[in-house]
Amino acid sequence: MSFHETGDAACENRSCPGIKTVIRPKAKDIGGFEVRRALPSAQARTVGPFIFFDQMGPAIFTSGAGIDVRPHPHIGLATLTWLVEGEIMHRDSLGYVQPIRPGEVNWMTAGKGIVHSERTPDDVRAAGHTLLGLQVWMALPSGKQEIAPSFQHYSAADIPTTETDGCIITVVAGDAWGQTSPVSVYSRTLYADVRMSAGAKLNIPSSHEERALYVVKGEVQIGEEIFGEATMVVLRDDETVPIYSQAGAHLAVIGGDKLKHPRRLWWNFAHTDMAMIEKAKERWKSGKFDMVEGDDEYIPLPDR
């Protein structure tokens, strides 16, 4: 996904136990559907390796409509796409053409540079469809920012799921609740999809250095506070945080080791060294990135 940031998400502090800050991202229309960007924000630039956290949709597309994110570049990060509803076709400069559907994982490592596009497949576009999903960007460790780009797809059957106390927990990436995902992360990571039934309770363990939860659907309660849809709650370090849902909820729980070196961010580029971002800007502007075969459009370098 390519999204030109126009401002920080709105944040507010809470004093209830276990909560560091609350982020309510603003919606941004990027051409027929909305994206809500929770990270980075003014009070939480990152959570573990997560440097961007986007919610796509919910959107309803009539027949003939869909998403068309033209080819665009990335460096210094890895992207993970997770859909709740809908289907997206991924194409990249390595030659991969891969649809992604709910429960599957597309894991793209940009490293020294990759270009990709994301579009609605033709058959899905013709029928009309809905779209709801999450896309996260994770910073690569400082020593791996220039690794070769790569792409992996994982089927729904590859991704481990466990059930506990009225909760279905899918460990999308990293490790949590006794499960480890096969997704080849580069640092200690927590990314779980959690479906809470009505009246369910769940402890968010303190086994990861930084953690946050994002409410995709429904509501959750922490202490005396209730948090609704499209809200990210950043949790305090070193505390097990109990959550409760009276009517049921769908959450993403993210986290991992804190980044040792701050990341500089510009458009779709992330790096510890601003000179590398400037180099990537010039490469894209001058057409020196490898492009996506079969998708001849592209997003120009922003004027900022």
Side-chain angles (χ1 to χ4, degrees), residues 136-150:
V136 298
W137 300 2
M138 299 187 211
L140 297 176
S142 56
K144 295 185 177 181
Q145 294 174 105
E146 300 299 314
I147 61 175
S150 63

Side-chain angles (χ1 to χ4, degrees), residues 9-37:
C11 296
E12 57 184 272
N13 287 310
R14 297 280 180 170
S15 59
C16 55
I19 294 178
K20 184 182 293 184
T21 193
V22 178
I23 304 169
R24 292 188 172 88
K26 298 176 182 178
K28 173 73 174 181
D29 190 306
I30 64 169
F33 72 106
E34 289 185 338
V35 169
R36 289 175 171 83
R37 175 156 291 174

Side-chain angles (χ1 to χ4, degrees), residues 178-200:
Q179 303 293 318
T180 299
S181 169
V183 174
S184 54
V185 294
Y186 296 93
S187 61
R188 183 84 190 285
T189 299
L190 163 64
Y191 186 2
D193 179 281
V194 178
R195 315 289 178 110
M196 302 181 71
S197 60

